[in-house]
Amino acid sequence: EDQVIPKSLTKYKEIISTLPQENGWKFAQPLCLYQGFWLTPNYLEGIMFAHENFKPQPDDIFLCSAMKTGTTWLKALAFATVTRTLNSSNPLLYKNPHDCIPFLDKDYIKNPIIQNTKPRVPLWSTHVLYSSLPKSVINSDCKIVYICRDPKDSFVSLWHFTNKLSSQYNIGKISLQEAFELYCNGCSVYGPYWDHVLSYWKASQEWPNRVLFLKYEEMVKDAGFYLKKLADFMGFSFSLEEEREGAVDKIVEFCSFENLSNLEVNKMGKHRPDEKGGFDNNMYFRKGEIGDWKNTLTLEMGARLDKIMEDKLRGSGLIF
Ligand code: A3P
């Protein structure tokens, strides 16, 4: 296994060097177009490696999302549901949710042998489009959970996040206008956003028992309902007794923006603490509000993005 990585990396680098390139918002340079979406070379290597080597376990569950659509929240909810006990030994108390669940796009290439933690938690996460999941996952019966969010809020969240990263690494910031223009042209990390959403939407329409499609806004409004739905879907339903004892509310409460963002690890700790370049966990928690885009974008910009989404999603049955 050790030798697989360097050999294939050379091959991936060669493929990547031939891909079309675009401006990656200063921080994620360059963005390369691969299988219809934009991503940086280092992540593409991880994804190509997963395409060639990854084999899911039959009970694996994949948590999928575009950037800045509620991934952190979904990971926390799913992890808390699968592990159930929120006592002091639960990793969510001392690790950022992203450090509790292996990230297929990046973690797998680094450690292809140990697929998961012990005791095994059958969760994986990825940001790739449905069509770019490894074939072994697409052809399996593994459950897939997708979360999406109003692109206006997601864009604003991404812009803030990218610029925070840029300042941590002393790279220049990108202006709102420039980032917005790129985003509207589909040019963002794991973008175009509309293709991302559509890929999972179509899969969820075709295989509703295998692909659960969630919207951030709906979950915010009724987290308990969606947590139960998520638990049922993943095969970790809450028993009547658990419900009577308030297990659903406890998890919702634990995973709330308020609670998670105030945990010591998320205020002071680092994501990927063992790595050079790990960044502050608090960057994953900004406001967690619906409609915050109005504080950053003009109404015209909002309308432009709405119109793009409307055009791209027309006929799909999906609306934002
Ligand atoms: P804002 O930047 O609008 O505040 P992701 O987790 O996919 O990176 O998305 C990040 C967005 O989700 C950020 O949005 C962040 O504040 C919000 N978020 C993080 N944790 C959350 C939680 N527990 N509940 C709701 N929203 C959360």
mmCIF file of all heavy atoms in Angstrom, residues 65-74 76-77 97-98 127 147 149 153-154 156-158 160-161 164 216 220 252 254-261 283-290 292-293, ligand 1:
data_model
loop_
_atom_site.group_PDB
_atom_site.id
_atom_site.type_symbol
_atom_site.label_atom_id
_atom_site.label_comp_id
_atom_site.label_asym_id
_atom_site.label_seq_id
_atom_site.Cartn_x
_atom_site.Cartn_y
_atom_site.Cartn_z
ATOM 1 N N SER A 65 -21.830 17.357 0.764
ATOM 2 C CA SER A 65 -22.266 18.756 0.735
ATOM 3 C C SER A 65 -21.311 19.555 -0.124
ATOM 4 O O SER A 65 -20.175 19.136 -0.349
ATOM 5 C CB SER A 65 -22.220 19.328 2.154
ATOM 6 O OG SER A 65 -20.900 19.255 2.649
ATOM 7 N N ALA A 66 -21.782 20.708 -0.595
ATOM 8 C CA ALA A 66 -20.877 21.691 -1.164
ATOM 9 C C ALA A 66 -20.271 22.453 0.017
ATOM 10 O O ALA A 66 -20.633 22.214 1.172
ATOM 11 C CB ALA A 66 -21.635 22.625 -2.102
ATOM 12 N N MET A 67 -19.382 23.386 -0.248
ATOM 13 C CA MET A 67 -18.772 24.143 0.842
ATOM 14 C C MET A 67 -19.789 25.096 1.475
ATOM 15 O O MET A 67 -20.616 25.673 0.773
ATOM 16 C CB MET A 67 -17.634 25.012 0.299
ATOM 17 C CG MET A 67 -16.502 24.252 -0.347
ATOM 18 S SD MET A 67 -15.240 23.777 0.821
ATOM 19 C CE MET A 67 -14.535 25.355 1.266
ATOM 20 N N LYS A 68 -19.704 25.259 2.774
ATOM 21 C CA LYS A 68 -20.461 26.301 3.488
ATOM 22 C C LYS A 68 -21.981 26.171 3.356
ATOM 23 O O LYS A 68 -22.690 27.143 3.109
ATOM 24 C CB LYS A 68 -20.035 27.705 3.007
ATOM 25 C CG LYS A 68 -18.563 27.958 3.128
ATOM 26 C CD LYS A 68 -18.118 28.018 4.556
ATOM 27 C CE LYS A 68 -17.041 27.029 4.846
ATOM 28 N NZ LYS A 68 -16.805 26.782 6.245
ATOM 29 N N THR A 69 -22.435 24.936 3.476
ATOM 30 C CA THR A 69 -23.879 24.711 3.375
ATOM 31 C C THR A 69 -24.445 24.052 4.630
ATOM 32 O O THR A 69 -25.590 23.619 4.637
ATOM 33 C CB THR A 69 -24.203 23.806 2.167
ATOM 34 O OG1 THR A 69 -23.492 22.566 2.352
ATOM 35 C CG2 THR A 69 -23.806 24.446 0.855
ATOM 36 N N GLY A 70 -23.619 23.952 5.674
ATOM 37 C CA GLY A 70 -24.100 23.316 6.903
ATOM 38 C C GLY A 70 -23.425 21.977 7.167
ATOM 39 O O GLY A 70 -23.933 21.161 7.946
ATOM 40 N N THR A 71 -22.269 21.773 6.555
ATOM 41 C CA THR A 71 -21.535 20.508 6.708
ATOM 42 C C THR A 71 -21.187 20.225 8.170
ATOM 43 O O THR A 71 -21.371 19.107 8.657
ATOM 44 C CB THR A 71 -20.215 20.579 5.896
ATOM 45 O OG1 THR A 71 -20.498 21.163 4.625
ATOM 46 C CG2 THR A 71 -19.609 19.216 5.728
ATOM 47 N N THR A 72 -20.689 21.242 8.842
ATOM 48 C CA THR A 72 -20.261 21.068 10.234
ATOM 49 C C THR A 72 -21.437 20.596 11.089
ATOM 50 O O THR A 72 -21.311 19.676 11.910
ATOM 51 C CB THR A 72 -19.746 22.419 10.802
ATOM 52 O OG1 THR A 72 -18.891 23.025 9.840
ATOM 53 C CG2 THR A 72 -19.039 22.229 12.115
ATOM 54 N N TRP A 73 -22.559 21.223 10.867
ATOM 55 C CA TRP A 73 -23.779 20.880 11.622
ATOM 56 C C TRP A 73 -24.224 19.448 11.299
ATOM 57 O O TRP A 73 -24.505 18.659 12.219
ATOM 58 C CB TRP A 73 -24.868 21.885 11.240
ATOM 59 C CG TRP A 73 -26.093 21.841 12.083
ATOM 60 C CD1 TRP A 73 -26.197 21.379 13.370
ATOM 61 C CD2 TRP A 73 -27.400 22.277 11.701
ATOM 62 N NE1 TRP A 73 -27.489 21.511 13.812
ATOM 63 C CE2 TRP A 73 -28.249 22.064 12.798
ATOM 64 C CE3 TRP A 73 -27.933 22.840 10.538
ATOM 65 C CZ2 TRP A 73 -29.602 22.381 12.773
ATOM 66 C CZ3 TRP A 73 -29.283 23.167 10.512
ATOM 67 C CH2 TRP A 73 -30.101 22.932 11.614
ATOM 68 N N LEU A 74 -24.278 19.121 10.013
ATOM 69 C CA LEU A 74 -24.694 17.774 9.619
ATOM 70 C C LEU A 74 -23.768 16.721 10.209
ATOM 71 O O LEU A 74 -24.206 15.682 10.699
ATOM 72 C CB LEU A 74 -24.718 17.659 8.081
ATOM 73 C CG LEU A 74 -25.060 16.265 7.535
ATOM 74 C CD1 LEU A 74 -26.484 15.856 7.918
ATOM 75 C CD2 LEU A 74 -24.889 16.212 6.014
ATOM 76 N N ALA A 76 -21.977 16.932 12.925
ATOM 77 C CA ALA A 76 -22.210 16.823 14.367
ATOM 78 C C ALA A 76 -23.497 16.030 14.637
ATOM 79 O O ALA A 76 -23.509 15.122 15.473
ATOM 80 C CB ALA A 76 -22.301 18.216 14.988
ATOM 81 N N LEU A 77 -24.555 16.345 13.911
ATOM 82 C CA LEU A 77 -25.835 15.654 14.120
ATOM 83 C C LEU A 77 -25.701 14.159 13.828
ATOM 84 O O LEU A 77 -26.175 13.313 14.602
ATOM 85 C CB LEU A 77 -26.917 16.255 13.215
ATOM 86 C CG LEU A 77 -27.413 17.659 13.563
ATOM 87 C CD1 LEU A 77 -28.268 18.226 12.423
ATOM 88 C CD2 LEU A 77 -28.206 17.666 14.874
ATOM 89 N N PRO A 97 -16.230 18.768 14.769
ATOM 90 C CA PRO A 97 -16.960 17.712 14.034
ATOM 91 C C PRO A 97 -16.205 17.217 12.795
ATOM 92 O O PRO A 97 -16.272 16.038 12.462
ATOM 93 C CB PRO A 97 -18.270 18.395 13.631
ATOM 94 C CG PRO A 97 -18.476 19.451 14.669
ATOM 95 C CD PRO A 97 -17.111 19.901 15.078
ATOM 96 N N HIS A 98 -15.461 18.110 12.132
ATOM 97 C CA HIS A 98 -14.710 17.700 10.940
ATOM 98 C C HIS A 98 -13.584 16.732 11.284
ATOM 99 O O HIS A 98 -13.163 15.952 10.434
ATOM 100 C CB HIS A 98 -14.112 18.919 10.225
ATOM 101 C CG HIS A 98 -15.163 19.837 9.703
ATOM 102 N ND1 HIS A 98 -15.794 19.626 8.500
ATOM 103 C CD2 HIS A 98 -15.733 20.941 10.236
ATOM 104 C CE1 HIS A 98 -16.695 20.576 8.303
ATOM 105 N NE2 HIS A 98 -16.677 21.389 9.344
ATOM 106 N N HIS A 127 -16.960 16.383 -0.300
ATOM 107 C CA HIS A 127 -17.548 17.561 -0.948
ATOM 108 C C HIS A 127 -17.755 17.333 -2.450
ATOM 109 O O HIS A 127 -18.180 18.249 -3.142
ATOM 110 C CB HIS A 127 -16.634 18.777 -0.779
ATOM 111 C CG HIS A 127 -16.766 19.480 0.547
ATOM 112 N ND1 HIS A 127 -17.978 19.718 1.162
ATOM 113 C CD2 HIS A 127 -15.826 20.032 1.365
ATOM 114 C CE1 HIS A 127 -17.761 20.369 2.296
ATOM 115 N NE2 HIS A 127 -16.478 20.573 2.446
ATOM 116 N N ILE A 147 -26.636 17.804 2.214
ATOM 117 C CA ILE A 147 -27.209 19.047 2.744
ATOM 118 C C ILE A 147 -26.879 20.188 1.789
ATOM 119 O O ILE A 147 -25.761 20.275 1.277
ATOM 120 C CB ILE A 147 -26.722 19.352 4.178
ATOM 121 C CG1 ILE A 147 -27.483 20.570 4.735
ATOM 122 C CG2 ILE A 147 -25.216 19.561 4.241
ATOM 123 C CD1 ILE A 147 -27.337 20.757 6.234
ATOM 124 N N ARG A 149 -27.949 24.587 0.785
ATOM 125 C CA ARG A 149 -28.325 25.842 1.436
ATOM 126 C C ARG A 149 -28.551 26.904 0.370
ATOM 127 O O ARG A 149 -27.983 26.797 -0.731
ATOM 128 C CB ARG A 149 -27.163 26.254 2.349
ATOM 129 C CG ARG A 149 -27.410 27.442 3.221
ATOM 130 C CD ARG A 149 -26.163 27.745 4.043
ATOM 131 N NE ARG A 149 -26.416 28.791 5.010
ATOM 132 C CZ ARG A 149 -25.481 29.398 5.710
ATOM 133 N NH1 ARG A 149 -24.225 29.049 5.564
ATOM 134 N NH2 ARG A 149 -25.791 30.345 6.574
ATOM 135 N N ASP A 153 -26.599 32.830 0.893
ATOM 136 C CA ASP A 153 -25.952 32.689 2.201
ATOM 137 C C ASP A 153 -24.678 31.862 2.098
ATOM 138 O O ASP A 153 -23.680 32.153 2.761
ATOM 139 C CB ASP A 153 -26.910 32.020 3.202
ATOM 140 C CG ASP A 153 -27.973 32.992 3.701
ATOM 141 O OD1 ASP A 153 -27.726 34.217 3.688
ATOM 142 O OD2 ASP A 153 -29.058 32.526 4.109
ATOM 143 N N SER A 154 -24.737 30.833 1.261
ATOM 144 C CA SER A 154 -23.584 29.962 1.112
ATOM 145 C C SER A 154 -22.409 30.731 0.484
ATOM 146 O O SER A 154 -21.256 30.610 0.931
ATOM 147 C CB SER A 154 -23.981 28.771 0.257
ATOM 148 O OG SER A 154 -22.939 27.889 0.147
ATOM 149 N N VAL A 156 -21.863 34.004 0.589
ATOM 150 C CA VAL A 156 -21.345 34.975 1.566
ATOM 151 C C VAL A 156 -20.491 34.268 2.619
ATOM 152 O O VAL A 156 -19.399 34.732 2.983
ATOM 153 C CB VAL A 156 -22.510 35.773 2.220
ATOM 154 C CG1 VAL A 156 -22.030 36.547 3.432
ATOM 155 C CG2 VAL A 156 -23.133 36.714 1.191
ATOM 156 N N SER A 157 -20.968 33.110 3.060
ATOM 157 C CA SER A 157 -20.221 32.327 4.034
ATOM 158 C C SER A 157 -18.863 31.926 3.456
ATOM 159 O O SER A 157 -17.827 32.033 4.129
ATOM 160 C CB SER A 157 -21.046 31.087 4.398
ATOM 161 O OG SER A 157 -20.434 30.359 5.420
ATOM 162 N N LEU A 158 -18.861 31.509 2.198
ATOM 163 C CA LEU A 158 -17.622 31.088 1.534
ATOM 164 C C LEU A 158 -16.648 32.252 1.350
ATOM 165 O O LEU A 158 -15.437 32.094 1.526
ATOM 166 C CB LEU A 158 -17.956 30.467 0.166
ATOM 167 C CG LEU A 158 -16.809 29.857 -0.634
ATOM 168 C CD1 LEU A 158 -16.128 28.734 0.151
ATOM 169 C CD2 LEU A 158 -17.305 29.321 -1.971
ATOM 170 N N HIS A 160 -16.423 34.972 3.240
ATOM 171 C CA HIS A 160 -15.822 35.274 4.548
ATOM 172 C C HIS A 160 -14.777 34.216 4.927
ATOM 173 O O HIS A 160 -13.685 34.531 5.388
ATOM 174 C CB HIS A 160 -16.898 35.329 5.637
ATOM 175 C CG HIS A 160 -17.719 36.582 5.607
ATOM 176 N ND1 HIS A 160 -17.179 37.823 5.866
ATOM 177 C CD2 HIS A 160 -19.030 36.793 5.358
ATOM 178 C CE1 HIS A 160 -18.131 38.749 5.776
ATOM 179 N NE2 HIS A 160 -19.261 38.145 5.460
ATOM 180 N N PHE A 161 -15.153 32.955 4.733
ATOM 181 C CA PHE A 161 -14.278 31.841 5.108
ATOM 182 C C PHE A 161 -12.965 31.904 4.328
ATOM 183 O O PHE A 161 -11.881 31.782 4.900
ATOM 184 C CB PHE A 161 -15.017 30.530 4.820
ATOM 185 C CG PHE A 161 -14.287 29.277 5.215
ATOM 186 C CD1 PHE A 161 -14.209 28.893 6.553
ATOM 187 C CD2 PHE A 161 -13.704 28.459 4.257
ATOM 188 C CE1 PHE A 161 -13.555 27.719 6.923
ATOM 189 C CE2 PHE A 161 -13.053 27.281 4.620
ATOM 190 C CZ PHE A 161 -12.983 26.916 5.949
ATOM 191 N N LYS A 164 -10.807 34.644 5.565
ATOM 192 C CA LYS A 164 -10.209 34.346 6.874
ATOM 193 C C LYS A 164 -9.022 33.412 6.696
ATOM 194 O O LYS A 164 -7.971 33.580 7.319
ATOM 195 C CB LYS A 164 -11.245 33.707 7.801
ATOM 196 C CG LYS A 164 -12.074 34.733 8.556
ATOM 197 C CD LYS A 164 -12.966 34.038 9.577
ATOM 198 C CE LYS A 164 -14.348 34.670 9.603
ATOM 199 N NZ LYS A 164 -15.378 33.793 10.172
ATOM 200 N N TYR A 216 -30.647 23.229 4.557
ATOM 201 C CA TYR A 216 -30.230 23.908 5.784
ATOM 202 C C TYR A 216 -31.381 24.712 6.386
ATOM 203 O O TYR A 216 -31.674 24.615 7.580
ATOM 204 C CB TYR A 216 -29.048 24.818 5.434
ATOM 205 C CG TYR A 216 -28.449 25.607 6.570
ATOM 206 C CD1 TYR A 216 -27.445 25.062 7.364
ATOM 207 C CD2 TYR A 216 -28.849 26.924 6.815
ATOM 208 C CE1 TYR A 216 -26.864 25.802 8.384
ATOM 209 C CE2 TYR A 216 -28.266 27.666 7.842
ATOM 210 C CZ TYR A 216 -27.280 27.107 8.618
ATOM 211 O OH TYR A 216 -26.710 27.837 9.632
ATOM 212 N N VAL A 220 -33.090 24.282 10.049
ATOM 213 C CA VAL A 220 -33.031 25.303 11.102
ATOM 214 C C VAL A 220 -34.420 25.492 11.719
ATOM 215 O O VAL A 220 -34.572 25.638 12.929
ATOM 216 C CB VAL A 220 -32.512 26.649 10.540
ATOM 217 C CG1 VAL A 220 -32.725 27.789 11.522
ATOM 218 C CG2 VAL A 220 -31.039 26.542 10.173
ATOM 219 N N VAL A 252 -30.148 17.744 19.388
ATOM 220 C CA VAL A 252 -30.392 19.031 18.702
ATOM 221 C C VAL A 252 -29.725 20.159 19.476
ATOM 222 O O VAL A 252 -29.017 21.004 18.912
ATOM 223 C CB VAL A 252 -31.908 19.297 18.562
ATOM 224 C CG1 VAL A 252 -32.172 20.738 18.178
ATOM 225 C CG2 VAL A 252 -32.512 18.347 17.531
ATOM 226 N N PHE A 254 -27.307 19.924 21.728
ATOM 227 C CA PHE A 254 -25.853 19.788 21.736
ATOM 228 C C PHE A 254 -25.241 20.311 20.436
ATOM 229 O O PHE A 254 -24.203 20.966 20.438
ATOM 230 C CB PHE A 254 -25.435 18.318 21.944
ATOM 231 C CG PHE A 254 -23.953 18.143 21.952
ATOM 232 C CD1 PHE A 254 -23.227 18.357 23.123
ATOM 233 C CD2 PHE A 254 -23.262 17.819 20.795
ATOM 234 C CE1 PHE A 254 -21.851 18.248 23.131
ATOM 235 C CE2 PHE A 254 -21.884 17.707 20.789
ATOM 236 C CZ PHE A 254 -21.177 17.919 21.960
ATOM 237 N N CYS A 255 -25.913 20.020 19.308
ATOM 238 C CA CYS A 255 -25.355 20.380 17.997
ATOM 239 C C CYS A 255 -25.738 21.790 17.559
ATOM 240 O O CYS A 255 -25.375 22.208 16.455
ATOM 241 C CB CYS A 255 -25.809 19.384 16.931
ATOM 242 S SG CYS A 255 -25.216 17.729 17.247
ATOM 243 N N SER A 256 -26.443 22.514 18.382
ATOM 244 C CA SER A 256 -26.863 23.859 17.990
ATOM 245 C C SER A 256 -25.629 24.748 17.800
ATOM 246 O O SER A 256 -24.572 24.509 18.391
ATOM 247 C CB SER A 256 -27.760 24.478 19.068
ATOM 248 O OG SER A 256 -27.002 24.711 20.238
ATOM 249 N N PHE A 257 -25.798 25.739 16.979
ATOM 250 C CA PHE A 257 -24.708 26.685 16.723
ATOM 251 C C PHE A 257 -24.170 27.232 18.041
ATOM 252 O O PHE A 257 -22.969 27.277 18.288
ATOM 253 C CB PHE A 257 -25.214 27.824 15.830
ATOM 254 C CG PHE A 257 -24.157 28.839 15.521
ATOM 255 C CD1 PHE A 257 -23.310 28.676 14.434
ATOM 256 C CD2 PHE A 257 -23.992 29.954 16.329
ATOM 257 C CE1 PHE A 257 -22.310 29.597 14.161
ATOM 258 C CE2 PHE A 257 -22.999 30.881 16.066
ATOM 259 C CZ PHE A 257 -22.163 30.706 14.976
ATOM 260 N N GLU A 258 -25.120 27.645 18.877
ATOM 261 C CA GLU A 258 -24.794 28.229 20.166
ATOM 262 C C GLU A 258 -23.882 27.316 20.991
ATOM 263 O O GLU A 258 -22.821 27.721 21.455
ATOM 264 C CB GLU A 258 -26.132 28.463 20.912
ATOM 265 C CG GLU A 258 -26.084 29.370 22.099
ATOM 266 C CD GLU A 258 -25.495 30.733 21.770
ATOM 267 O OE1 GLU A 258 -25.661 31.193 20.617
ATOM 268 O OE2 GLU A 258 -24.848 31.305 22.671
ATOM 269 N N ASN A 259 -24.314 26.064 21.130
ATOM 270 C CA ASN A 259 -23.552 25.151 21.979
ATOM 271 C C ASN A 259 -22.224 24.735 21.352
ATOM 272 O O ASN A 259 -21.183 24.813 21.995
ATOM 273 C CB ASN A 259 -24.400 23.911 22.301
ATOM 274 C CG ASN A 259 -23.688 23.003 23.281
ATOM 275 O OD1 ASN A 259 -23.443 23.381 24.421
ATOM 276 N ND2 ASN A 259 -23.297 21.826 22.824
ATOM 277 N N LEU A 260 -22.293 24.301 20.087
ATOM 278 C CA LEU A 260 -21.053 23.819 19.450
ATOM 279 C C LEU A 260 -19.991 24.913 19.377
ATOM 280 O O LEU A 260 -18.825 24.686 19.676
ATOM 281 C CB LEU A 260 -21.336 23.341 18.021
ATOM 282 C CG LEU A 260 -21.765 21.900 17.777
ATOM 283 C CD1 LEU A 260 -21.729 21.608 16.285
ATOM 284 C CD2 LEU A 260 -20.906 20.908 18.534
ATOM 285 N N SER A 261 -20.434 26.105 18.987
ATOM 286 C CA SER A 261 -19.452 27.170 18.787
ATOM 287 C C SER A 261 -18.841 27.628 20.110
ATOM 288 O O SER A 261 -17.771 28.235 20.127
ATOM 289 C CB SER A 261 -20.073 28.358 18.053
ATOM 290 O OG SER A 261 -21.130 28.903 18.811
ATOM 291 N N MET A 283 -13.242 29.127 12.771
ATOM 292 C CA MET A 283 -13.601 29.598 11.420
ATOM 293 C C MET A 283 -14.825 28.891 10.860
ATOM 294 O O MET A 283 -15.430 29.356 9.908
ATOM 295 C CB MET A 283 -12.415 29.414 10.489
ATOM 296 C CG MET A 283 -11.366 30.441 10.829
ATOM 297 S SD MET A 283 -9.954 30.514 9.777
ATOM 298 C CE MET A 283 -10.448 29.744 8.351
ATOM 299 N N TYR A 284 -15.160 27.744 11.435
ATOM 300 C CA TYR A 284 -16.353 27.021 10.965
ATOM 301 C C TYR A 284 -17.643 27.599 11.539
ATOM 302 O O TYR A 284 -18.730 27.190 11.162
ATOM 303 C CB TYR A 284 -16.268 25.538 11.339
ATOM 304 C CG TYR A 284 -15.334 24.780 10.442
ATOM 305 C CD1 TYR A 284 -14.111 24.314 10.910
ATOM 306 C CD2 TYR A 284 -15.671 24.557 9.110
ATOM 307 C CE1 TYR A 284 -13.252 23.623 10.074
ATOM 308 C CE2 TYR A 284 -14.822 23.868 8.270
ATOM 309 C CZ TYR A 284 -13.618 23.409 8.751
ATOM 310 O OH TYR A 284 -12.769 22.732 7.922
ATOM 311 N N PHE A 285 -17.503 28.504 12.479
ATOM 312 C CA PHE A 285 -18.690 29.062 13.138
ATOM 313 C C PHE A 285 -18.670 30.570 12.983
ATOM 314 O O PHE A 285 -17.811 31.241 13.530
ATOM 315 C CB PHE A 285 -18.677 28.688 14.628
ATOM 316 C CG PHE A 285 -18.579 27.206 14.858
ATOM 317 C CD1 PHE A 285 -17.337 26.594 15.029
ATOM 318 C CD2 PHE A 285 -19.711 26.412 14.882
ATOM 319 C CE1 PHE A 285 -17.234 25.219 15.218
ATOM 320 C CE2 PHE A 285 -19.621 25.032 15.081
ATOM 321 C CZ PHE A 285 -18.379 24.450 15.247
ATOM 322 N N ARG A 286 -19.607 31.080 12.210
ATOM 323 C CA ARG A 286 -19.623 32.528 12.016
ATOM 324 C C ARG A 286 -20.901 33.075 12.633
ATOM 325 O O ARG A 286 -20.897 33.596 13.732
ATOM 326 C CB ARG A 286 -19.495 32.857 10.522
ATOM 327 C CG ARG A 286 -19.114 34.303 10.226
ATOM 328 C CD ARG A 286 -18.980 34.535 8.740
ATOM 329 N NE ARG A 286 -20.216 34.268 8.032
ATOM 330 C CZ ARG A 286 -21.123 35.185 7.707
ATOM 331 N NH1 ARG A 286 -20.908 36.438 8.003
ATOM 332 N NH2 ARG A 286 -22.233 34.841 7.082
ATOM 333 N N LYS A 287 -22.040 32.890 11.933
ATOM 334 C CA LYS A 287 -23.307 33.385 12.464
ATOM 335 C C LYS A 287 -24.379 32.284 12.512
ATOM 336 O O LYS A 287 -25.212 32.273 13.405
ATOM 337 C CB LYS A 287 -23.831 34.509 11.580
ATOM 338 C CG LYS A 287 -23.079 35.817 11.696
ATOM 339 C CD LYS A 287 -23.811 36.845 10.874
ATOM 340 C CE LYS A 287 -23.257 38.250 11.100
ATOM 341 N NZ LYS A 287 -24.004 39.217 10.253
ATOM 342 N N GLY A 288 -24.376 31.445 11.488
ATOM 343 C CA GLY A 288 -25.368 30.365 11.427
ATOM 344 C C GLY A 288 -26.780 30.881 11.278
ATOM 345 O O GLY A 288 -27.706 30.365 11.895
ATOM 346 N N GLU A 289 -26.943 31.914 10.464
ATOM 347 C CA GLU A 289 -28.276 32.515 10.304
ATOM 348 C C GLU A 289 -28.799 32.361 8.888
ATOM 349 O O GLU A 289 -28.026 32.308 7.934
ATOM 350 C CB GLU A 289 -28.203 34.007 10.642
ATOM 351 C CG GLU A 289 -28.091 34.262 12.131
ATOM 352 C CD GLU A 289 -27.779 35.714 12.428
ATOM 353 O OE1 GLU A 289 -27.823 36.547 11.501
ATOM 354 O OE2 GLU A 289 -27.464 35.983 13.600
ATOM 355 N N ILE A 290 -30.108 32.378 8.777
ATOM 356 C CA ILE A 290 -30.740 32.374 7.461
ATOM 357 C C ILE A 290 -30.881 33.815 6.993
ATOM 358 O O ILE A 290 -31.335 34.667 7.756
ATOM 359 C CB ILE A 290 -32.143 31.715 7.526
ATOM 360 C CG1 ILE A 290 -32.020 30.257 8.005
ATOM 361 C CG2 ILE A 290 -32.852 31.787 6.184
ATOM 362 C CD1 ILE A 290 -33.348 29.560 8.210
ATOM 363 N N ASP A 292 -28.521 35.973 6.106
ATOM 364 C CA ASP A 292 -27.450 36.916 6.458
ATOM 365 C C ASP A 292 -26.833 37.576 5.223
ATOM 366 O O ASP A 292 -26.168 38.610 5.330
ATOM 367 C CB ASP A 292 -26.375 36.199 7.283
ATOM 368 C CG ASP A 292 -25.234 37.123 7.651
ATOM 369 O OD1 ASP A 292 -25.510 38.142 8.318
ATOM 370 O OD2 ASP A 292 -24.078 36.873 7.238
ATOM 371 N N TRP A 293 -27.054 36.999 4.041
ATOM 372 C CA TRP A 293 -26.479 37.564 2.805
ATOM 373 C C TRP A 293 -26.830 39.039 2.646
ATOM 374 O O TRP A 293 -26.060 39.805 2.075
ATOM 375 C CB TRP A 293 -26.953 36.769 1.580
ATOM 376 C CG TRP A 293 -28.427 36.846 1.282
ATOM 377 C CD1 TRP A 293 -29.390 36.008 1.755
ATOM 378 C CD2 TRP A 293 -29.099 37.800 0.436
ATOM 379 N NE1 TRP A 293 -30.622 36.371 1.274
ATOM 380 C CE2 TRP A 293 -30.472 37.469 0.459
ATOM 381 C CE3 TRP A 293 -28.686 38.890 -0.327
ATOM 382 C CZ2 TRP A 293 -31.429 38.199 -0.252
ATOM 383 C CZ3 TRP A 293 -29.637 39.610 -1.034
ATOM 384 C CH2 TRP A 293 -30.991 39.266 -0.990
HETATM 385 P P1 A3P B 1 -22.333 31.382 8.156
HETATM 386 O O1 A3P B 1 -20.999 31.722 7.585
HETATM 387 O O2 A3P B 1 -23.472 31.912 7.328
HETATM 388 O O3 A3P B 1 -22.470 31.744 9.581
HETATM 389 P P2 A3P B 1 -19.990 24.462 6.583
HETATM 390 O O4 A3P B 1 -20.183 23.783 7.899
HETATM 391 O O5 A3P B 1 -20.555 23.683 5.428
HETATM 392 O O6 A3P B 1 -18.584 24.878 6.390
HETATM 393 O O7 A3P B 1 -20.888 25.757 6.624
HETATM 394 C C1 A3P B 1 -20.568 26.796 7.497
HETATM 395 C C2 A3P B 1 -21.817 27.578 7.835
HETATM 396 O O8 A3P B 1 -22.621 26.839 8.750
HETATM 397 C C3 A3P B 1 -21.467 28.887 8.516
HETATM 398 O O9 A3P B 1 -22.490 29.783 8.097
HETATM 399 C C4 A3P B 1 -21.567 28.492 9.969
HETATM 400 O O10 A3P B 1 -21.740 29.579 10.845
HETATM 401 C C5 A3P B 1 -22.775 27.593 9.959
HETATM 402 N N1 A3P B 1 -22.827 26.650 11.094
HETATM 403 C C6 A3P B 1 -21.779 26.083 11.725
HETATM 404 N N2 A3P B 1 -22.214 25.302 12.713
HETATM 405 C C7 A3P B 1 -23.549 25.353 12.729
HETATM 406 C C8 A3P B 1 -24.554 24.764 13.548
HETATM 407 N N3 A3P B 1 -24.231 23.963 14.556
HETATM 408 N N4 A3P B 1 -25.842 25.055 13.275
HETATM 409 C C9 A3P B 1 -26.159 25.879 12.262
HETATM 410 N N5 A3P B 1 -25.250 26.488 11.458
HETATM 411 C C10 A3P B 1 -23.957 26.223 11.682
#
